[in-house]
Amino acid sequence: MGDLRLLAPYTTLGLGGPARAYEEATTAEELVSLVAEADRRGEPTLILGGGSNLVVSDEGFDGLVVKVATRGVTVSRDGGQVVVEAEAGEDWDPLVARAVAEGWSGLECMSGIPGLVGSTPIQNVGAYGQEVAHTVRCVRVFDRRTREVADVEARRCGFSYRDSAFKRDLGRYVVLGVTFALDVSETSGPLTYQELVNRVGERAALAEVREAVLGLRRGKGMVLDPDDPDSRSAGSFFTNPIVSAEQAAALGDGSPRFDMPDGSVKVPAAWLIEQAGFPKGYSRGPVRISTKHTLALTNPHGRGTTADLIALAREVRDGVLAKFGVTLVNEPVMVGCAL
Protein backbone atom coordinates (compact mmCIF):
# COMPACT_ATOMS: atom_id res chain seq x y z
CA MET A 1 0.00 0.00 0.00
CA GLY A 2 1.07 3.57 -0.62
CA ASP A 3 2.16 5.95 2.10
CA LEU A 4 -0.25 8.12 4.05
CA ARG A 5 -0.82 11.28 2.03
CA LEU A 6 -2.93 14.40 2.23
CA LEU A 7 -5.89 14.60 -0.14
CA ALA A 8 -5.98 18.42 -0.25
CA PRO A 9 -3.58 18.64 -3.24
CA TYR A 10 -5.90 16.33 -5.19
CA THR A 11 -8.94 18.61 -4.84
CA THR A 12 -9.59 21.94 -6.55
CA LEU A 13 -10.65 23.39 -3.20
CA GLY A 14 -7.28 22.49 -1.72
CA LEU A 15 -9.02 20.92 1.27
CA GLY A 16 -8.98 17.46 2.81
CA GLY A 17 -7.05 15.41 5.36
CA PRO A 18 -5.00 12.27 4.84
CA ALA A 19 -5.88 8.96 3.23
CA ARG A 20 -4.97 5.86 5.20
CA ALA A 21 -3.88 4.20 1.94
CA TYR A 22 -3.47 5.45 -1.62
CA GLU A 23 -3.03 3.74 -4.99
CA GLU A 24 -3.19 4.84 -8.62
CA ALA A 25 -4.90 2.75 -11.29
CA THR A 26 -3.49 3.25 -14.78
CA THR A 27 -5.70 0.66 -16.53
CA ALA A 28 -9.35 -0.29 -16.21
CA GLU A 29 -8.28 -3.79 -15.19
CA GLU A 30 -6.10 -2.40 -12.41
CA LEU A 31 -8.94 -0.15 -11.25
CA VAL A 32 -11.32 -3.11 -11.03
CA SER A 33 -8.72 -5.25 -9.27
CA LEU A 34 -7.89 -2.62 -6.62
CA VAL A 35 -11.53 -1.95 -5.81
CA ALA A 36 -12.57 -5.61 -5.85
CA GLU A 37 -9.70 -6.61 -3.57
CA ALA A 38 -10.52 -3.77 -1.12
CA ASP A 39 -14.16 -4.89 -1.14
CA ARG A 40 -13.12 -8.45 -0.34
CA ARG A 41 -11.13 -7.14 2.62
CA GLY A 42 -14.06 -5.00 3.72
CA GLU A 43 -11.92 -1.87 3.39
CA PRO A 44 -13.69 1.47 2.73
CA THR A 45 -12.74 2.79 -0.73
CA LEU A 46 -12.86 6.25 -2.26
CA ILE A 47 -12.59 6.56 -6.03
CA LEU A 48 -10.74 9.80 -6.78
CA GLY A 49 -11.08 11.51 -10.13
CA GLY A 50 -10.09 15.11 -10.79
CA GLY A 51 -11.19 16.29 -7.35
CA SER A 52 -13.16 19.16 -8.85
CA ASN A 53 -16.51 18.11 -7.41
CA LEU A 54 -15.32 16.83 -4.06
CA VAL A 55 -15.32 18.06 -0.48
CA VAL A 56 -13.15 15.92 1.82
CA SER A 57 -13.26 16.33 5.59
CA ASP A 58 -10.30 17.63 7.56
CA GLU A 59 -10.01 14.16 9.09
CA GLY A 60 -9.44 12.70 5.62
CA PHE A 61 -10.47 9.21 4.58
CA ASP A 62 -9.93 6.14 6.77
CA GLY A 63 -9.56 3.66 3.95
CA LEU A 64 -8.12 3.17 0.47
CA VAL A 65 -8.16 6.04 -2.01
CA VAL A 66 -7.87 4.85 -5.60
CA LYS A 67 -6.82 7.58 -8.03
CA VAL A 68 -8.23 7.01 -11.53
CA ALA A 69 -5.32 7.51 -13.95
CA THR A 70 -6.56 5.45 -16.91
CA ARG A 71 -6.04 6.93 -20.36
CA GLY A 72 -7.19 6.29 -23.90
CA VAL A 73 -9.68 7.54 -26.50
CA THR A 74 -10.92 5.58 -29.52
CA VAL A 75 -13.03 7.02 -32.31
CA SER A 76 -15.21 5.32 -34.92
CA ARG A 77 -17.91 6.37 -37.38
CA ASP A 78 -21.56 5.39 -37.23
CA GLY A 79 -23.42 7.02 -40.12
CA GLY A 80 -23.57 10.77 -39.52
CA GLN A 81 -22.10 10.45 -36.04
CA VAL A 82 -18.76 9.73 -34.48
CA VAL A 83 -18.61 7.32 -31.56
CA VAL A 84 -16.04 8.41 -28.99
CA GLU A 85 -15.00 5.92 -26.31
CA ALA A 86 -12.98 7.55 -23.52
CA GLU A 87 -11.37 5.96 -20.50
CA ALA A 88 -12.55 7.32 -17.15
CA GLY A 89 -9.19 8.93 -16.36
CA GLU A 90 -9.11 11.15 -19.43
CA ASP A 91 -9.25 14.88 -18.67
CA TRP A 92 -12.62 16.25 -19.70
CA ASP A 93 -11.78 19.62 -21.24
CA PRO A 94 -9.07 18.34 -23.60
CA LEU A 95 -11.66 15.87 -24.91
CA VAL A 96 -14.09 18.75 -25.49
CA ALA A 97 -11.35 20.75 -27.21
CA ARG A 98 -10.59 17.80 -29.49
CA ALA A 99 -14.29 17.40 -30.36
CA VAL A 100 -14.50 21.05 -31.32
CA ALA A 101 -11.31 20.88 -33.39
CA GLU A 102 -12.47 17.72 -35.18
CA GLY A 103 -15.97 19.02 -35.92
CA TRP A 104 -17.86 16.78 -33.50
CA SER A 105 -20.88 18.60 -32.13
CA GLY A 106 -22.48 17.99 -28.74
CA LEU A 107 -19.92 18.84 -26.05
CA GLU A 108 -18.91 22.42 -26.88
CA CYS A 109 -21.14 24.13 -24.30
CA MET A 110 -19.42 22.10 -21.58
CA SER A 111 -16.01 23.62 -22.31
CA GLY A 112 -13.84 24.56 -19.35
CA ILE A 113 -15.44 22.18 -16.85
CA PRO A 114 -12.65 20.67 -14.73
CA GLY A 115 -12.42 17.00 -13.88
CA LEU A 116 -12.23 13.62 -15.57
CA VAL A 117 -14.47 11.90 -18.10
CA GLY A 118 -15.51 9.22 -15.62
CA SER A 119 -17.17 11.75 -13.34
CA THR A 120 -19.37 13.28 -16.02
CA PRO A 121 -22.17 10.67 -16.18
CA ILE A 122 -22.30 10.36 -12.38
CA GLN A 123 -23.20 14.02 -11.97
CA ASN A 124 -24.83 14.30 -15.40
CA VAL A 125 -22.49 17.22 -15.89
CA GLY A 126 -23.89 20.09 -17.89
CA ALA A 127 -23.59 23.79 -18.65
CA TYR A 128 -25.13 26.43 -20.89
CA GLY A 129 -27.97 24.23 -22.08
CA GLN A 130 -26.02 21.02 -22.72
CA GLU A 131 -25.53 18.02 -20.47
CA VAL A 132 -23.75 14.74 -21.06
CA ALA A 133 -27.08 12.89 -21.00
CA HIS A 134 -27.70 14.34 -24.47
CA THR A 135 -24.74 12.52 -26.01
CA VAL A 136 -23.86 9.53 -23.79
CA ARG A 137 -24.44 6.25 -25.60
CA CYS A 138 -23.34 3.97 -22.78
CA VAL A 139 -21.26 3.90 -19.60
CA ARG A 140 -18.93 1.02 -18.76
CA VAL A 141 -18.95 0.29 -15.04
CA PHE A 142 -17.69 -2.16 -12.48
CA ASP A 143 -20.71 -3.16 -10.43
CA ARG A 144 -19.38 -3.75 -6.93
CA ARG A 145 -22.54 -5.61 -5.93
CA THR A 146 -22.45 -8.21 -8.70
CA ARG A 147 -18.65 -7.96 -9.11
CA GLU A 148 -19.09 -7.72 -12.87
CA VAL A 149 -18.11 -5.23 -15.58
CA ALA A 150 -21.15 -4.06 -17.55
CA ASP A 151 -22.09 -1.57 -20.25
CA VAL A 152 -25.05 0.53 -19.11
CA GLU A 153 -27.02 2.01 -22.01
CA ALA A 154 -28.03 5.65 -21.75
CA ARG A 155 -31.71 4.84 -21.25
CA ARG A 156 -30.77 2.84 -18.13
CA CYS A 157 -28.54 5.54 -16.63
CA GLY A 158 -31.45 7.34 -14.97
CA PHE A 159 -30.26 10.76 -16.05
CA SER A 160 -31.99 13.84 -14.67
CA TYR A 161 -30.85 17.32 -13.69
CA ARG A 162 -27.35 16.86 -12.16
CA ASP A 163 -28.29 13.32 -11.23
CA SER A 164 -28.05 9.73 -12.42
CA ALA A 165 -28.53 6.15 -11.30
CA PHE A 166 -24.80 6.10 -10.52
CA LYS A 167 -25.06 9.09 -8.19
CA ARG A 168 -28.14 7.72 -6.47
CA ASP A 169 -26.20 4.56 -5.57
CA LEU A 170 -22.77 6.12 -5.30
CA GLY A 171 -21.01 3.24 -3.58
CA ARG A 172 -22.13 0.61 -6.06
CA TYR A 173 -20.63 1.62 -9.40
CA VAL A 174 -17.10 2.46 -10.51
CA VAL A 175 -17.12 4.18 -13.91
CA LEU A 176 -14.46 2.69 -16.19
CA GLY A 177 -15.25 4.51 -19.41
CA VAL A 178 -17.88 6.53 -21.27
CA THR A 179 -19.03 6.26 -24.89
CA PHE A 180 -20.42 9.39 -26.57
CA ALA A 181 -22.26 9.69 -29.89
CA LEU A 182 -21.55 13.10 -31.43
CA ASP A 183 -22.86 14.70 -34.61
CA VAL A 184 -20.40 15.41 -37.41
CA SER A 185 -20.86 19.16 -37.78
CA GLU A 186 -18.75 22.31 -37.61
CA THR A 187 -21.80 24.09 -36.18
CA SER A 188 -23.51 23.67 -32.85
CA GLY A 189 -27.05 22.47 -32.43
CA PRO A 190 -29.69 25.04 -31.42
CA LEU A 191 -28.45 27.02 -28.42
CA THR A 192 -30.97 27.71 -25.68
CA TYR A 193 -29.09 29.31 -22.78
CA GLN A 194 -29.85 33.02 -23.09
CA GLU A 195 -26.51 34.26 -21.75
CA LEU A 196 -24.75 32.27 -24.46
CA VAL A 197 -27.28 33.13 -27.18
CA ASN A 198 -26.69 36.82 -26.43
CA ARG A 199 -23.03 36.31 -27.35
CA VAL A 200 -23.10 34.03 -30.38
CA GLY A 201 -26.71 33.73 -31.53
CA GLU A 202 -28.97 30.69 -31.66
CA ARG A 203 -26.44 28.64 -33.61
CA ALA A 204 -22.71 29.15 -34.14
CA ALA A 205 -19.45 27.52 -35.15
CA LEU A 206 -18.21 25.06 -32.52
CA ALA A 207 -15.00 27.04 -31.95
CA GLU A 208 -16.99 30.23 -31.46
CA VAL A 209 -19.26 28.54 -28.93
CA ARG A 210 -16.28 27.12 -27.05
CA GLU A 211 -14.54 30.49 -26.80
CA ALA A 212 -17.74 32.19 -25.67
CA VAL A 213 -18.34 29.56 -22.99
CA LEU A 214 -14.76 29.78 -21.76
CA GLY A 215 -15.14 33.56 -21.56
CA LEU A 216 -18.36 33.28 -19.58
CA ARG A 217 -16.83 30.73 -17.22
CA ARG A 218 -13.68 32.79 -16.66
CA GLY A 219 -15.85 35.76 -15.79
CA LYS A 220 -17.41 33.62 -13.05
CA GLY A 221 -14.13 32.16 -11.80
CA MET A 222 -15.19 28.75 -13.13
CA VAL A 223 -12.05 27.96 -15.15
CA LEU A 224 -9.14 26.62 -13.10
CA ASP A 225 -6.46 29.30 -12.97
CA PRO A 226 -3.66 29.44 -10.37
CA ASP A 227 -3.72 33.23 -10.67
CA ASP A 228 -7.44 33.44 -9.89
CA PRO A 229 -8.22 32.74 -6.21
CA ASP A 230 -11.92 32.49 -7.06
CA SER A 231 -11.22 29.32 -9.06
CA ARG A 232 -10.11 27.51 -5.89
CA SER A 233 -13.57 26.02 -5.54
CA ALA A 234 -15.65 22.95 -6.32
CA GLY A 235 -17.58 24.83 -8.99
CA SER A 236 -21.25 25.40 -8.27
CA PHE A 237 -21.73 24.40 -4.66
CA PHE A 238 -25.54 24.22 -4.84
CA THR A 239 -27.83 22.91 -7.55
CA ASN A 240 -30.59 25.12 -8.89
CA PRO A 241 -33.69 24.04 -6.96
CA ILE A 242 -36.70 22.73 -8.85
CA VAL A 243 -39.88 23.81 -7.10
CA SER A 244 -43.61 23.64 -7.69
CA ALA A 245 -45.39 26.38 -9.63
CA GLU A 246 -46.98 27.51 -6.35
CA GLN A 247 -43.61 27.79 -4.62
CA ALA A 248 -42.20 29.72 -7.57
CA ALA A 249 -45.13 32.15 -7.50
CA ALA A 250 -44.50 32.79 -3.81
CA LEU A 251 -40.99 34.02 -4.61
CA GLY A 252 -42.46 37.14 -6.20
CA ASP A 253 -42.70 38.61 -9.68
CA GLY A 254 -39.04 39.62 -9.82
CA SER A 255 -37.63 36.14 -9.42
CA PRO A 256 -36.01 34.56 -12.49
CA ARG A 257 -37.49 31.20 -13.41
CA PHE A 258 -37.24 28.45 -15.98
CA ASP A 259 -40.40 26.46 -16.62
CA MET A 260 -39.85 22.71 -16.79
CA PRO A 261 -41.80 20.32 -19.05
CA ASP A 262 -43.62 18.73 -16.10
CA GLY A 263 -44.99 22.05 -14.82
CA SER A 264 -42.36 22.53 -12.13
CA VAL A 265 -40.03 25.52 -12.12
CA LYS A 266 -36.24 25.73 -11.88
CA VAL A 267 -35.05 28.74 -9.88
CA PRO A 268 -31.44 30.01 -10.03
CA ALA A 269 -29.77 29.23 -6.71
CA ALA A 270 -27.44 32.21 -7.23
CA TRP A 271 -30.41 34.59 -7.20
CA LEU A 272 -31.84 33.02 -4.04
CA ILE A 273 -28.46 33.27 -2.31
CA GLU A 274 -27.99 36.94 -3.19
CA GLN A 275 -31.55 37.86 -2.26
CA ALA A 276 -31.11 36.10 1.09
CA GLY A 277 -28.29 38.48 1.96
CA PHE A 278 -25.17 36.69 0.76
CA PRO A 279 -23.47 38.82 -1.92
CA LYS A 280 -20.40 38.00 -3.96
CA GLY A 281 -17.34 38.03 -1.74
CA TYR A 282 -19.28 37.31 1.47
CA SER A 283 -16.73 35.73 3.79
CA ARG A 284 -16.62 33.60 6.89
CA GLY A 285 -13.07 33.55 8.16
CA PRO A 286 -10.64 32.32 5.50
CA VAL A 287 -13.34 31.03 3.12
CA ARG A 288 -15.81 33.05 1.11
CA ILE A 289 -18.38 33.17 -1.63
CA SER A 290 -16.63 33.84 -4.93
CA THR A 291 -16.24 37.52 -5.80
CA LYS A 292 -17.48 36.62 -9.29
CA HIS A 293 -20.36 34.17 -8.75
CA THR A 294 -22.50 33.49 -5.69
CA LEU A 295 -22.82 29.77 -6.48
CA ALA A 296 -19.15 29.06 -5.81
CA LEU A 297 -17.72 28.73 -2.31
CA THR A 298 -13.99 29.28 -2.33
CA ASN A 299 -10.82 28.71 -0.32
CA PRO A 300 -9.10 31.66 -2.00
CA HIS A 301 -5.75 31.74 -0.21
CA GLY A 302 -5.52 28.09 0.80
CA ARG A 303 -5.77 28.86 4.50
CA GLY A 304 -9.26 27.51 5.12
CA THR A 305 -10.40 24.16 6.44
CA THR A 306 -13.23 21.93 5.36
CA ALA A 307 -14.97 22.80 8.64
CA ASP A 308 -14.80 26.48 7.64
CA LEU A 309 -16.31 25.72 4.25
CA ILE A 310 -19.12 23.58 5.67
CA ALA A 311 -19.98 26.31 8.19
CA LEU A 312 -20.28 28.86 5.37
CA ALA A 313 -22.36 26.46 3.27
CA ARG A 314 -24.73 25.85 6.19
CA GLU A 315 -25.08 29.57 6.82
CA VAL A 316 -26.03 30.15 3.18
CA ARG A 317 -28.38 27.16 3.03
CA ASP A 318 -30.14 28.11 6.26
CA GLY A 319 -30.44 31.75 5.20
CA VAL A 320 -32.12 30.82 1.94
CA LEU A 321 -34.46 28.43 3.74
CA ALA A 322 -35.44 31.09 6.29
CA LYS A 323 -36.19 33.70 3.63
CA PHE A 324 -37.74 31.62 0.86
CA GLY A 325 -38.66 28.23 2.33
CA VAL A 326 -36.45 26.56 -0.28
CA THR A 327 -33.76 24.10 0.78
CA LEU A 328 -30.60 24.26 -1.31
CA VAL A 329 -28.88 20.94 -2.03
CA ASN A 330 -25.11 20.67 -2.34
CA GLU A 331 -23.75 19.62 -5.72
CA PRO A 332 -20.27 18.33 -4.75
CA VAL A 333 -19.78 14.87 -3.28
CA MET A 334 -19.12 15.04 0.46
CA VAL A 335 -16.58 12.64 2.02
CA GLY A 336 -16.65 12.44 5.79
CA CYS A 337 -18.69 15.61 6.12
CA ALA A 338 -22.25 16.79 5.50
CA LEU A 339 -24.36 19.94 5.55
Side-chain angles (χ1 to χ4, degrees), residues 133-211:
H134 298 154
T135 51
V136 166
R137 177 170 283 190
C138 71
V139 180
R140 175 158 287 191
V141 299
F142 172 56
D143 186 333
R144 297 168 70 180
R145 187 177 300 167
T146 65
R147 296 175 182 259
E148 294 178 344
V149 172
D151 288 322
V152 183
E153 296 178 0
R155 61 185 176 82
R156 294 176 48 227
C157 291
F159 289 129
S160 59
Y161 172 65
R162 299 299 175 269
D163 201 10
S164 70
F166 314 116
K167 185 177 179 180
R168 291 190 288 273
D169 200 353
L170 202 55
R172 177 174 176 179
Y173 301 101
V174 178
V175 175
L176 305 177
V178 186
T179 300
F180 302 91
L182 306 175
D183 292 331
V184 179
S185 173
E186 297 286 344
T187 305
S188 71
L191 301 173
T192 59
Y193 198 89
Q194 196 58 50
E195 193 177 16
L196 182 57
V197 171
N198 290 344
R199 290 204 174 196
V200 300
E202 295 182 356
R203 222 178 182 112
L206 299 182
E208 188 179 358
V209 174
R210 175 171 168 79
E211 285 308 307

Side-chain angles (χ1 to χ4, degrees), residues 273-311:
I273 291 167
E274 290 197 44
Q275 295 301 309
F278 302 100
K280 298 180 184 73
Y282 180 91
S283 64
R284 184 184 178 107
V287 298
R288 72 185 184 200
I289 293 175
S290 167
T291 64
K292 301 180 181 71
H293 198 304
T294 47
L295 263 189
L297 306 187
T298 68
N299 177 26
H301 306 296
R303 295 193 293 267
T305 65
T306 303
D308 293 329
L309 189 84
I310 294 299

Side-chain angles (χ1 to χ4, degrees), residues 1-35:
M1 285 296 172
D3 297 329
L4 190 77
R5 69 176 69 195
L6 284 175
L7 295 176
Y10 296 92
T11 72
T12 52
L13 274 164
L15 298 174
R20 182 161 54 80
Y22 176 93
E23 296 284 355
E24 286 195 359
T26 58
T27 67
E29 292 76 18
E30 189 176 10
L31 180 54
V32 170
S33 176
L34 284 167
V35 174

Side-chain angles (χ1 to χ4, degrees), residues 47-121:
I47 311 301
L48 178 64
S52 60
N53 195 49
L54 193 65
V55 180
V56 180
S57 73
D58 297 314
E59 292 71 33
F61 186 72
D62 188 20
L64 172 65
V65 172
V66 180
K67 178 74 171 76
V68 180
T70 57
R71 304 305 296 266
V73 177
T74 61
V75 179
S76 59
R77 287 294 293 261
D78 183 7
Q81 291 188 311
V82 290
V83 178
V84 180
E85 300 177 53
E87 294 293 314
E90 284 288 329
D91 285 319
W92 172 252
D93 193 53
L95 182 66
V96 176
R98 179 181 175 183
V100 168
E102 299 275 2
W104 307 335
S105 173
L107 304 180
E108 58 280 355
C109 293
M110 294 178 282
S111 294
I113 295 175
L116 304 184
V117 166
S119 302
T120 61

